[in-house]
Amino acid sequence: MKNTNLLLAGVSTLLFSTSALADNHDTQTLQAKALHDEVAYAIVEGLTTEVGPRQAGTEAEARARTWSVKRLNDLGFQNVRNEPFMMPTWVRGDETAEVTSPFPQKLHVTALGNSASTGTAGIEAEIAYFDSLAAMRSVPEGSLKGKIAFVTHNMHKSQDGSGYSAFGPIRWFGPSIASQKGAAAYVIKSIGTDYHRNPHTGSTGFAEGVKPIPAGALSLPDADNLERMIKLGQKSGKAVKLKLVLTPQNIGQQESGNVIAEVTGRDPSKPMILIACHLDSWDLATGAFDDAAGCGIITAAAKNIMDHGQPLRTIRLLWAGAEEVGIWGGKAYRDAHRDKAHALAMESDFGADNIWRVEFTLPDAAKDISNQIATDLLNLGIGRSSGKAGGGADIGPIITDKNLAIIDLQQDGTRYFDLHHTPDDTLDKIDPKQLQQNVAAWTTVLSIIANSDVDFTMPPLE
């Protein structure tokens, strides 16, 4: 069925009028150039080497903004600036986990963002084991008093990354639920798919009125080992006890910021195209996949359009700050720019491996544009999905606020959650050829939508 749809899309494209596209739309030339792009890799290399980890609200993220403004100016973009905002800031401390009985041994753990502290003395308590978040949710209030709740899962690799939405709630909401049930602390099997002793961090949150508790993620091999211990203990009647030391701190309101740049269009009256990535990373690694690669991809594509000739519409680049810890940059952008006319939004924030499908949320007036894009992407091995585009985290607030049109270029996520939020998210994981395929796909789409005079206004939400 998908192949048939692609064929029909191609036929439709051959029939539609190309009057909506400006003269400087030249997909073949742009794609060929983009497949030899060096700008994207240079950005990833620069951010990961010259700046390194870029946790939101820290001095490292501030250095990243300074670096980014200079790099974007050097590349020739217009209206480059930093737009600062304030945000609550959490920083990591000491992190250890150790089974004290009946099978004493150390485990690899990292604190989840917004975790409370155990204090320097730590917490030693019996483990309350659950094989799912639903199982923990079902126990009575207060039943976990004095215990460390442990939730595991069975997440697998997938091309579309769908396991993250299925098992992510264990991290996102689990600590709050554990606290409501009376737990003294909470640990999880990392939300990931690798089997290295690298725990995966990531943000969590506590519902209003719920006391924050210490919350950490164990590496996958260590979590599986702990599960085996618990099952052996159940057979022998011996409870497994864990000593957990996590000493993060909340250091109050600190400055973050969004870095903005533009390719100014020939017709300023036409609503702009917004393309986004996020500049911040977690502190465990240099954030190559998440999301220096995204910033490299969108910037290289926008530069290709700029170098080929001034587009009809302005293309605005958003290198968002503080995405990892609460999408603060996306919210700040919405608040600062909701009065500006936006036509469409796109984001790159799923690594650097090949794009394999394209999805659209466009008005009926843009049907021919979507057909053109789908046809031109076939050269890059990218098929059209029947699903709707949903956008990314940083563009989510402005999309919701203005009901914007969206195009998603979906990357292959098979290995993304091996690296996501781990110490392994480093430059050596970037495949330059796959990165160039991303740039070619983004260049193709931008060349069409930024040079189109179609009205991208979405119908009102019902």
Side-chain angles (χ1 to χ4, degrees):
M1 180 62 72
K2 289 184 179 179
N3 290 338
T4 302
N5 288 341
L6 289 171
L7 178 60
L8 292 174
V11 172
S12 176
T13 302
L14 292 174
L15 296 176
F16 90 97
S17 168
T18 59
S19 62
L21 302 181
D23 290 340
N24 62 353
H25 164 67
D26 182 357
T27 301
Q28 188 173 6
T29 299
L30 285 163
Q31 275 188 4
K33 177 184 176 185
L35 287 170
H36 297 280
D37 171 74
E38 296 181 353
V39 172
Y41 189 89
I43 287 172
V44 184
E45 183 179 44
L47 277 173
T48 57
T49 305
E50 298 172 48
V51 181
R54 306 172 296 282
Q55 183 158 338
T58 67
E59 180 272 338
E61 193 199 28
R63 283 191 288 110
R65 290 193 297 279
T66 300
W67 184 96
S68 303
V69 168
K70 182 178 186 305
R71 178 59 62 94
L72 289 164
N73 272 316
D74 289 347
L75 288 170
F77 288 97
Q78 296 89 53
N79 303 323
V80 181
R81 72 268 193 192
N82 170 45
E83 296 186 350
F85 57 85
M86 302 300 289
M87 51 155 289
T89 301
W90 174 97
V91 293
R92 195 175 304 282
D94 294 331
E95 303 178 326
T96 63
E98 182 177 4
V99 175
T100 55
S101 68
F103 311 111
Q105 55 190 281
K106 294 181 179 180
L107 307 177
H108 287 243
V109 70
T110 192
L112 300 180
N114 297 317
S115 166
S117 175
T118 62
T120 56
I123 293 172
E124 184 176 3
E126 180 182 338
I127 290 283
Y129 165 72
F130 301 97
D131 63 5
S132 69
L133 185 62
M136 184 176 71
R137 197 190 298 269
S138 69
V139 302
E141 298 284 326
S143 63
L144 302 183
K145 185 175 181 180
K147 297 182 179 180
I148 298 175
F150 167 48
V151 178
T152 189
H153 61 83
N154 193 30
M155 182 174 170
H156 293 285
K157 299 175 190 285
S158 61
Q159 191 174 25
D160 64 359
S162 54
Y164 191 55
S165 59
F167 297 106
I170 292 171
R171 188 190 86 216
W172 306 330
F173 311 123
S176 183
I177 296 168
S179 179
Q180 290 174 303
K181 303 296 183 180
Y186 178 77
V187 292
I188 65 171
K189 181 178 181 177
S190 284
I191 307 302
T193 53
D194 68 307
Y195 269 83
H196 298 158
R197 295 188 80 185
N198 286 332
H200 299 233
T201 191
S203 281
T204 190
F206 295 88
E208 186 174 353
V210 174
K211 178 185 175 182
I213 60 174
L218 299 169
S219 76
L220 276 73
D222 284 305
D224 284 356
N225 196 22
L226 181 58
E227 185 177 356
R228 290 191 296 271
M229 293 180 201
I230 291 166
K231 291 179 178 178
L232 285 172
Q234 288 170 344
K235 290 179 181 179
S236 62
K238 297 178 180 179
V240 175
K241 290 187 176 180
L242 181 73
K243 182 174 182 181
L244 185 67
V245 177
L246 301 173
T247 62
Q249 298 179 65
N250 289 299
I251 60 173
Q253 293 285 319
Q254 303 294 324
E255 185 175 292
S256 182
N258 292 325
V259 175
I260 308 290
E262 293 173 352
V263 178
T264 56
R266 300 192 307 277
D267 187 347
S269 71
K270 294 205 173 293
M272 74 180 80
I273 305 297
L274 178 67
I275 59 175
C277 60
H278 67 84
L279 181 57
D280 65 308
S281 75
W282 280 106
D283 54 323
L284 300 184
T286 56
F289 251 51
D290 187 20
D291 183 34
C295 292
I297 290 162
I298 70 165
T299 304
K303 180 169 172 53
N304 285 341
I305 304 305
M306 178 172 63
D307 291 349
H308 195 66
Q310 188 177 24
L312 181 65
R313 298 175 186 268
T314 292
I315 301 170
R316 175 175 285 179
L317 289 72
L318 167 62
W319 289 26
E323 184 268 352
E324 297 288 8
V325 295
I327 319 176
W328 296 102
K331 296 170 187 174
Y333 180 85
R334 172 201 60 200
D335 295 343
H337 298 284
R338 62 180 5 138
D339 62 333
K340 305 296 192 301
H342 293 70
L344 185 147
M346 300 176 63
E347 182 161 356
S348 180
D349 183 17
F350 198 46
D353 286 347
N354 279 339
I355 293 168
W356 64 289
R357 72 180 183 188
V358 60
E359 297 170 339
F360 302 96
T361 296
L362 299 176
D364 290 343
K367 181 179 180 181
D368 288 341
I369 293 295
S370 65
N371 288 339
Q372 177 71 60
I373 290 170
T375 298
D376 287 354
L377 289 176
L378 288 174
N379 292 333
L380 300 171
I382 300 168
R384 181 176 191 163
S385 169
S386 59
K388 290 289 187 180
D394 299 292
I395 58 177
I398 194 73
I399 287 172
T400 301
D401 190 67
K402 299 178 74 68
N403 188 28
L404 294 183
I406 315 163
I407 298 175
D408 287 343
L409 288 169
Q410 298 285 10
Q411 293 153 300
D412 186 336
T414 304
R415 66 180 183 135
Y416 184 74
F417 291 105
D418 288 355
L419 308 172
H420 184 244
H421 298 178
T422 75
D424 262 352
D425 185 5
T426 49
L427 181 64
D428 55 293
K429 310 308 187 302
I430 302 291
D431 179 338
K433 296 306 294 184
Q434 293 195 65
L435 189 69
Q436 289 169 332
Q437 188 259 13
N438 275 258
V439 175
W442 271 80
T443 299
T444 299
V445 175
L446 283 182
S447 72
I448 295 172
I449 60 177
N451 286 302
S452 170
D453 60 10
V454 163
D455 184 356
F456 288 103
T457 304
M458 293 292 292
L461 295 172
E462 296 181 358

